[in-house]
DNA sequence: AGTATTGTATTTTTT
DNA sequence: ATACAATACT
């Protein structure tokens, strides 16, 4: 958290109370002077380049507003312009606007853009941030109302799981049958719905072997003991406080004169309640979102929130942003064609003035590797700018996959052909083991009571403290009712532990105490107090009870290095021979470097708990590989969408678990994917894919069916080596396809059928070096039960079932599988 | 106490 | 296939 000088609304018994008059000081500081002057001088230049819909969304300041912003319609621009307008018109001061986003990235971006639009750096907008970041601020101030101290720690998922595991074993629950992770997601799910343990409805009583609510209650109690919060709590506690203390709520309702919400379609129940409570007075709430881009249902988001907006806020102004500034008409048409399949949309029709451009390209491949190979080659030729397409930089190109395991094929391929790529998403910096370990040391120095941190590092590096020793520590701590670190000290003192471990443990405890002293700095005699640490309003946590400290002789960065060295942690990795050790040391160095931007360890820890991202981007153009989820909000001139096969996309699991609702979310994912593309969008699928080490064949995605024909061009794969793979013919080669289309009753796969029809109308248009070998498949429709057949990947087998164009075959080597008839050959028709 | 081995699960992910 | 975690060895 950077230290913004936040003016605080008055807040009960909190020590952060500030008299009202100080808000006026904030004014001068935060841009009130700017508004009057600027309004007179230039009549709202920020309004000039808005289109009518955007302008309406900006000018309609009072009352509820729902901004339905389709993909690429300038939503962020409108949102930031609205903030600027609120400020410039004098309707609100920077610290009276509550603007919430989901991600830190979005918050950062908005801050930047507001600053840029204002044409001056404003120090303000203290209440622009993620739901969680804002909730932390609120909760720190009212912690006591939630049974916490204001310096509570925020647990990450790791700590959470560890805690739950302890709880489970305490309850003699078999962690095998009832995994802690499952309990964690259950509790998370409940928290997302704003259910405290007592409010979990009876219908959920059966959850987790009928112990769910009970364990939830224990978990919450344990968190309170630890003075800790998980992510869900941040919202839940604040909502609970608002509900139980109308006076506190009323203060904030008055204070936040205008509320803005980004990505409203992603809000869960807790967030929805939070917003509704805060907007309850004046109802000056502007929600921005797109029901068609709701893709987080699986983690508690309720599309219903956005669909219901007009009911929740009667008289709401609904503004539709439909002019798209991102994609070509073909791409938009393809996207609309797909999303049309969903029921109960609020309905938007995107349009654009852009030139027609390329059609969406569609191509099928033999298997996943072939798909990756083709895309690799395609990217190389896009880089060169062949075939009348413009030249693209690798930075312009993205590959968006449904599930992260699909990335591997591309990484493998790109590594072998030496194509630079970057994977977006994936495990983040602060989630890496070495970083968490290091952070646990820091946490322990900052708050010696942090038992979870202690557990993490007690025996890292190895100190000869195994299960038994750790149990002794636990027992001692419990006996004396003290923290683990204190328990450890006592256990050593009383010689409950002996030998090598005890010595090491003593050293650890002494070290921790010494580091803490170093951090706190020398104790000054009264009167000697240094230039009053007129302390940071935003970060009360670490100052509790620690006044009159002088300046430490070590900077917090030096201290961090000392901690890592003296604890033996650095040495542990230096002695490690595994190939990842150097990288980990590198990461540790980076961690220390990251400290630079903070005033102290505490500030850093707070930041990391919430931010958890670290964008260290190496230079050089690279292709981006990411999941569709990670791609939301991004755009690329050129997008590849591989793996459009039924079962993979739409994901089978999603459909099994959530039925039509799941399918519709998958469809929105398809919509998000297509609308990421500015100029060129290439969809592909593979007939065969290795899933969990087993080869499986699949049908083209049903979404392919839904692509409007007029906007799609079917490409032919570049064949697969003459005489090599006969199946190449199934996909490629004009005339062959046409002939087979005539006997098409076997080709019943929905997507496939249409694909063929199109193909026959429009002979292949991309004759790259024509390596295609057209091998006519014969008698594909002539399969019979019991027939002996051959399959490229699975070898020989016998047909045990026929369903449409799918055959069930008992293969001699690879067992029973369902495969598409197209890939199967009669025994005497092996295409070699 | 630390390592080897076996077993098992395997969408999507922010905070 | 493969990673990761929990049990089984040394």
């Amino acid at each position: 958290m950077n230290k913004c000088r936040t003016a605080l609304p008055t807040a009960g018994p909190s020590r952060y109370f500030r008299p009202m008059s100080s808000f006026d000081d904030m004014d001068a500081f935060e841009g009130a002077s700017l508004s009057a002057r600027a309004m007179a001088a230039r009549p709202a230049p920020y309004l000039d380049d808005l289109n009518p819909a955007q302008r309406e969304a900006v000018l309609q300041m009072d009352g509820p507003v729902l901004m339905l912003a389709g993909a690429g319609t300038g939503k962020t621009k409108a949102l930031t312009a609205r903030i600027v307008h609120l400020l410039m018109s004098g309707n609100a001061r920077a610290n009276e606007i509550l603007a919430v986003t989901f991600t830190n990235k979005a918050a950062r971006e908005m801050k930047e853009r507001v600053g840029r639009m204002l044409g001056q750096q404003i120090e303000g907008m203290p209440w622009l941030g993620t739901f969680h970041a804002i909730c932390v601020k609120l909760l720190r101030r009212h912690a006591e109302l939630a049974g916490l101290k204001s310096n509570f720690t925020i647990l990450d998922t790791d700590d959470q799981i560890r805690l739950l595991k302890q709880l489970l074993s305490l309850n003699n629950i078999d962690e095998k049958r009832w995994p802690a992770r499952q309990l964690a997601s259950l509790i998370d799910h409940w928290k997302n719905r704003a259910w405290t343990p007592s409010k979990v409805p009876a219908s959920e009583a059966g959850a987790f072997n009928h112990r769910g609510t009970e364990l939830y209650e224990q978990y919450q109690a344990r968190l309170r003991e630890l003075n800790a919060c998980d992510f869900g709590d941040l919202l839940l506690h604040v909502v609970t406080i608002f509900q139980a203390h109308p006076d506190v709520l009323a203060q904030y309702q008055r204070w936040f004169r205008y509320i803005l919400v980004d990505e409203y379609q992603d809000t869960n129940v807790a967030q929805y309640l939070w917003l509704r409570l805060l907007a309850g007075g004046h109802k000056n709430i502007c929600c921005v979102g797109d029901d068609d881009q709701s893709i987080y249902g699986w983690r508690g988001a309720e599309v219903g929130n956005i669909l219901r907006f007009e009911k929740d806020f009667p008289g709401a102004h609904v503004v539709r942003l439909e002019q798209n500034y991102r994609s070509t008409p073909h791409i938009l048409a393809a996207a609309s064609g797909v999303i049309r399949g969903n029921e109960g949309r609020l309905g938007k029709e995107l349009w654009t003035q852009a030139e027609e451009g390329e059609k969406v390209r569609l191509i099928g491949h033999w298997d996943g590797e072939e798909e990756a190979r083709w895309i690799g080659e395609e990217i190389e030729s896009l880089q060169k700018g062949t075939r009348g397409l413009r030249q693209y930089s690798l930075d312009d190109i993205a590959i968006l996959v449904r599930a992260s395991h699909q990335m591997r094929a591309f990484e493998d391929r790109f590594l072998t052909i030496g194509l630079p790529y970057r994977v977006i998403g994936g495990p983040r910096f602060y989630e890496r083991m070495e970083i968490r370990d290091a952070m646990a040391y820091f946490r322990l120095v900052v708050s010696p009571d942090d038992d979870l941190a202690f557990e993490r590092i007690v025996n890292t590096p190895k100190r000869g403290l195994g299960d038994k020793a750790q149990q002794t520590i636990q027992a001692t701590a419990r006996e004396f009712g003290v923290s683990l670190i204190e328990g450890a000290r006592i256990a050593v003192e009383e010689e409950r532990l002996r030998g090598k471990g005890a010595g090491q443990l003593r050293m650890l405890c002494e070290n921790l105490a010494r580091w803490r002293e170093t951090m706190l700095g020398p104790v000054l005699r009264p009167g000697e107090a240094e230039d009053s640490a007129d302390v940071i309003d935003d970060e009360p946590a670490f100052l509790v009870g620690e006044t009159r400290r002088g300046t430490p002789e070590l900077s917090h960065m030096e201290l961090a290095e000392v901690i890592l060295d003296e604890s033996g942690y650095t040495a542990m990795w230096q002695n490690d021979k595994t190939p990842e050790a150097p990288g980990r040391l590198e990461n540790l160095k980076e961690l220390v470097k990251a400290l630079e931007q903070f005033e102290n360890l505490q500030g850093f820890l707070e930041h990391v708990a919430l931010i958890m991202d670290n964008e260290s981007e190496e230079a050089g153009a690279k292709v981006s590989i990411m999941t569709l989820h990670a791609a939301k909000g991004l755009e690329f001139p050129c997008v590849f969408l591989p793996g459009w096969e039924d079962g993979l996309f739409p994901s089978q699991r999603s459909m099994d678990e959530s039925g039509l609702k799941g399918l519709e979310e998958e469809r929105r994912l398809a919509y998000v994917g297509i609308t990421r593309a500015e100029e060129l969008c290439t969809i592909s699928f593979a007939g065969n894919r290795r899933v969990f080490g087993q080869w499986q064949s699949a049908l083209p995605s049903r979404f392919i069916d839904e692509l409007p024909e007029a906007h799609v061009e079917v490409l032919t794969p570049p064949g697969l080596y003459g005489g090599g793979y006969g199946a190449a013919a199934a996909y490629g080669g004009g005339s062959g396809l046409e002939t087979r289309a005539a006997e098409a009753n076997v080709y019943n796969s929905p997507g496939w059928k249409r694909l063929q029809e199109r193909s026959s109308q429009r002979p292949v248009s991309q004759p790259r070096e024509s390596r295609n070998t057209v091998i006519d498949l014969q008698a594909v429709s002539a399969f019979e039960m019991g027939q002996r057949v051959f399959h490229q990947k699975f070898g020989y087998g016998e047909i045990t079932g026929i369903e449409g164009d799918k055959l069930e075959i008992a293969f001699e080597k690879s067992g029973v599988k369902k495969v598409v008839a197209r890939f199967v050959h009669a025994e005497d028709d092996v295409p070699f």
Side-chain angles (χ1 to χ4, degrees):
Chain A
M1 288 297 103
N2 53 358
K3 40 180 279 197
C4 26
R5 296 246 145 208
T6 314
L8 306 168
T10 56
S14 154
R15 66 201 250 348
Y16 311 110
F17 172 87
R18 279 237 229 133
M20 216 39 184
S21 64
S22 71
F23 294 148
D24 298 331
D25 303 342
M26 298 303 304
D27 267 352
F29 187 56
E30 255 166 2
S33 61
L34 162 136
S35 51
R37 189 164 31 97
M39 287 299 282
R42 342 161 235 161
Y46 53 90
L47 292 175
D48 289 351
D49 54 337
L50 297 178
N51 66 35
Q54 291 171 330
R55 194 167 311 179
E56 190 190 338
V58 169
L59 294 178
Q60 181 58 48
M61 287 188 290
D62 291 317
V65 175
L66 177 61
M67 197 194 300
L68 284 175
T73 54
K75 157 195 91 158
T76 311
K77 185 182 191 179
L79 206 46
T80 47
R82 190 178 159 94
I83 293 175
V84 171
H85 187 60
L86 288 170
L87 295 172
M88 299 287 258
S89 64
N91 275 40
R93 291 168 293 186
N95 50 12
E96 294 171 332
I97 298 173
L98 173 65
V100 248
T101 63
F102 273 86
T103 62
N104 294 296
K105 196 171 153 226
R108 210 181 312 133
E109 225 168 80
M110 208 179 296
K111 250 179 199 169
E112 270 165 28
R113 285 178 76 158
V114 169
R116 221 182 310 142
M117 249 193 233
L118 278 172
Q120 74 177 70
Q121 213 44 50
I122 51 160
E123 182 71 23
M125 295 302 295
W127 301 104
L128 191 168
T130 63
F131 276 101
H132 295 265
I134 289 170
C135 282
V136 170
K137 273 192 181 177
L138 295 173
L139 195 54
R140 290 242 186 263
R141 216 172 296 154
H142 301 286
E144 71 284 358
L145 299 180
L148 294 167
K149 288 185 275 168
S150 94
N151 62 346
F152 60 82
T153 45
I154 302 164
L155 299 191
D156 57 41
T157 336
D158 236 44
D159 298 325
Q160 206 182 331
I161 299 286
R162 219 135 22 92
L163 203 59
L164 287 170
K165 275 187 181 163
Q166 290 173 11
L167 223 54
L168 287 176
S169 78
L170 224 66
N171 282 272
N172 295 314
I173 294 173
D174 181 13
E175 227 254 286
K176 267 244 163 97
R177 278 193 55 185
W178 302 100
R181 297 204 156 277
Q182 198 181 311
L183 181 57
S185 42
L186 182 68
I187 290 175
D188 196 49
H189 175 75
W190 286 343
K191 287 183 175 175
N192 285 338
R193 317 215 98 107
W195 292 338
T196 52
S198 59
K199 291 221 196 88
V200 175
S203 60
E204 306 269 318
F208 212 77
N209 203 18
H210 294 276
R211 311 273 315 258
T213 32
E214 178 194 341
L215 289 163
Y216 180 18
E217 204 150 356
Q218 290 180 25
Y219 173 65
Q220 291 306 98
R222 188 83 186 95
L223 285 178
R224 222 166 298 124
E225 279 168 33
L226 288 166
N227 190 29
C229 250
D230 64 19
F231 283 117
D233 280 338
L234 296 175
L235 267 145
L236 182 57
H237 282 325
V238 173
V239 168
T240 316
I241 289 171
F242 282 168
Q243 284 169 338
H245 302 272
D247 53 318
V248 175
L249 173 63
Q251 285 167 355
Y252 289 102
Q253 284 180 334
R254 257 178 277 121
W255 182 254
F256 297 132
R257 299 169 55 98
Y258 291 91
I259 301 176
L260 292 93
V261 189
D262 195 15
E263 306 282 16
Y264 188 61
Q265 78 282 350
D266 289 338
T267 48
N268 60 34
V269 174
Q271 287 155 340
Y272 163 79
L273 289 174
W274 189 85
L275 289 168
R276 218 180 53 176
L277 286 165
L278 282 170
H282 47 59
K283 311 236 164 59
N284 293 332
I285 182 169
C286 172
C287 294
V288 187
D290 180 357
D291 50 320
D292 292 335
Q293 291 188 67
S294 163
I295 54 174
Y296 286 109
W298 50 272
R299 65 175 200 214
E302 296 272 345
V303 215
N305 292 346
I306 194 167
L307 301 177
R308 240 189 9 249
F309 188 84
E310 290 173 85
K311 282 204 193 98
D312 288 334
F313 296 98
H317 278 259
V318 180
V319 184
R320 286 184 161 74
L321 305 192
E322 296 179 298
Q323 181 174 2
N324 174 292
Y325 298 97
R326 178 186 296 160
S327 313
T328 64
H330 280 312
I331 290 169
L332 290 184
S336 326
V338 171
I339 200 65
R340 243 197 304 276
N342 275 7
E343 300 282 332
R345 305 167 49 222
L346 290 170
K348 282 176 273 64
E349 213 42 66
L350 296 184
W351 60 278
T352 176
Q353 295 176 335
E355 281 181 39
E356 196 175 43
E358 295 289 313
K359 290 186 176 178
V360 169
R361 308 184 307 161
L362 177 60
I363 185 166
H365 301 280
W366 165 247
D367 65 11
E369 281 157 45
E370 168 56 26
E371 184 181 50
R373 189 179 315 136
W374 184 82
I375 289 179
E377 283 169 21
E378 195 64 11
I379 289 172
E380 285 176 330
S381 77
L382 285 168
Q383 244 185 313
K384 291 190 207 111
T386 53
R387 297 202 306 260
L389 295 177
R390 81 170 173 91
Q391 198 173 344
Y392 290 90
S393 148
L394 293 181
D395 285 329
D396 296 337
I397 302 170
I399 298 170
L400 313 182
V401 297
R402 171 68 245 265
S404 49
H405 63 75
Q406 290 170 262
M407 295 184 192
R408 196 192 199 105
F410 295 97
E411 294 195 57
D412 284 352
R413 184 65 198 154
F414 294 172
L415 282 173
T416 57
I417 62 176
L419 187 69
Y421 69 89
R422 96 191 97 216
V423 171
I424 309 231
R428 280 157 299 165
F429 184 72
Y430 291 112
E431 274 167 21
R432 299 195 182 144
M433 191 207 313
E434 66 277 16
I435 301 301
R436 300 185 105 144
D437 289 341
M439 303 259 306
Y441 276 102
F442 300 162
R443 271 163 64 182
L444 217 41
V445 171
V446 170
S447 18
D449 291 342
D450 194 331
D451 287 356
L452 289 162
F454 183 81
E455 276 172 54
R456 185 175 183 104
I457 51 84
V458 163
N459 202 27
T460 313
K462 301 271 182 285
R463 297 193 174 88
L465 297 160
D467 281 352
K468 224 181 103 228
Q470 292 189 37
Q471 272 167 19
T472 312
I473 296 171
Q474 292 270 3
T476 313
R478 225 168 309 141
E479 185 185 324
F480 287 81
V482 293
S483 65
L484 287 182
I485 205 173
E486 186 61 12
R489 203 188 54 75
I490 296 170
V492 172
E493 199 92 335
E494 301 194 346
E495 300 194 351
R496 297 183 186 199
L497 288 169
R498 304 162 172 284
K500 201 167 127 241
Q504 295 264 297
L505 186 57
R506 172 192 298 263
M507 180 138 61
L508 175 66
C509 290
E510 284 169 3
N511 279 338
L512 284 167
R514 186 161 37 76
W515 295 327
R516 182 168 171 80
E517 281 307 308
T518 311
M519 178 186 74
L520 294 173
V523 181
L524 300 182
R525 268 162 287 145
E528 213 179 321
E530 300 196 352
D531 183 32
S532 95
D534 186 292
V535 193
I536 312 156
D537 297 308
D538 296 14
E539 316 255 3
F542 43 91
L543 289 157
V544 178
E546 302 286 358
T547 47
R548 288 224 268 269
R549 288 285 186 171
T551 314
E553 58 266 40
L554 285 181
S555 76
H556 61 290
M557 292 171 65
E558 290 165 323
L559 175 61
E561 277 178 343
V562 167
I563 293 172
L564 294 179
D565 283 345
E566 294 186 356
S567 63
Y569 194 72
T570 318
M572 176 181 105
W573 288 115
Q574 278 163 350
N575 298 332
D576 192 299
K577 302 273 183 301
T578 56
E580 56 262 30
R584 297 196 194 269
L585 285 166
E586 206 44 50
N587 288 337
L588 289 172
K589 258 192 221 149
E590 241 180 89
L591 177 73
V592 174
K593 211 168 72 197
L595 283 167
E596 206 168 0
Q597 293 162 36
F598 295 84
E599 301 238 316
N600 45 46
L601 280 182
Q602 297 90 336
F604 177 69
L605 292 176
E606 174 89 344
H607 170 87
V608 170
L610 289 175
I611 309 299
M612 295 295 269
D613 66 352
N614 149 293
E615 305 224 340
S616 69
E617 187 54 72
E618 306 125 74
K622 293 185 177 74
V623 180
S624 303
I625 306 175
M626 68 191 94
T627 63
L628 287 162
H629 285 91
K632 195 166 81 152
L634 305 178
E635 56 188 336
F636 298 89
C638 182
V639 167
F640 288 90
L641 300 168
W644 280 41
E645 295 128 42
D646 248 44
L648 184 60
F649 187 45
S651 132
Q652 193 58 51
R653 186 151 163 188
S654 178
M655 294 187 294
D656 290 347
E657 281 172 12
S658 319
L660 183 62
K661 229 177 126 220
L663 177 64
E664 295 209 331
E665 184 154 309
E666 297 285 306
R667 190 175 280 119
R668 291 193 289 266
L669 215 36
Y671 175 80
V672 167
I674 298 170
T675 53
R676 296 311 94 193
E678 293 168 358
E679 297 166 16
L680 196 60
C681 177
T682 309
I683 296 170
S684 60
F685 62 90
N688 298 285
R689 202 175 281 283
R690 221 172 10 190
V691 183
F692 305 145
Q694 293 272 281
W695 280 98
Q696 301 220 273
S697 64
L699 302 173
S701 169
R702 64 193 71 190
F703 299 146
I704 285 178
D705 260 352
E706 300 170 358
L707 295 168
E709 217 169 298
H711 304 284
V712 175
E713 174 182 25
V714 179
L715 303 188
T716 308
L720 305 147
Y721 317 114
Y725 300 83
Y731 291 119
S735 63
L737 256 183
E738 280 168 62
T739 346
R740 280 195 309 288
E743 45 180 80
N745 56 343
V746 266
Y747 298 98
N748 279 336
S749 140
W752 191 232
K753 197 165 138 204
R754 289 264 301 278
L755 176 55
Q756 281 187 317
E757 282 159 13
R758 279 177 223 159
S759 246
S760 39
Q761 288 159 11
R762 195 179 307 105
V764 181
S765 59
Q766 299 291 331
R768 293 156 60 93
E769 302 151 73
S770 182
R771 291 186 294 176
N772 316 355
T773 317
V774 178
I775 301 167
D776 242 320
L777 295 181
Q778 296 159 29
V780 247
S781 54
F783 291 117
E784 288 167 16
M785 293 290 284
Q787 188 180 355
R788 190 173 141 85
V789 291
F790 179 79
H791 186 278
Q792 277 303 323
K793 222 94 201 187
F794 309 132
Y796 288 96
E798 189 176 294
I799 297 179
T800 54
I802 302 178
E803 289 170 39
D805 63 337
K806 277 185 277 185
L807 302 175
E808 189 181 79
I809 299 172
F811 288 103
E812 287 162 11
K813 297 218 171 94
S814 26
V816 181
K817 295 195 190 318
K818 275 193 184 166
V819 298
V820 188
R822 188 165 0 97
F823 298 126
V824 176
H825 308 280
E827 187 184 13
D828 53 0
D829 181 35
V830 180
F832 284 163

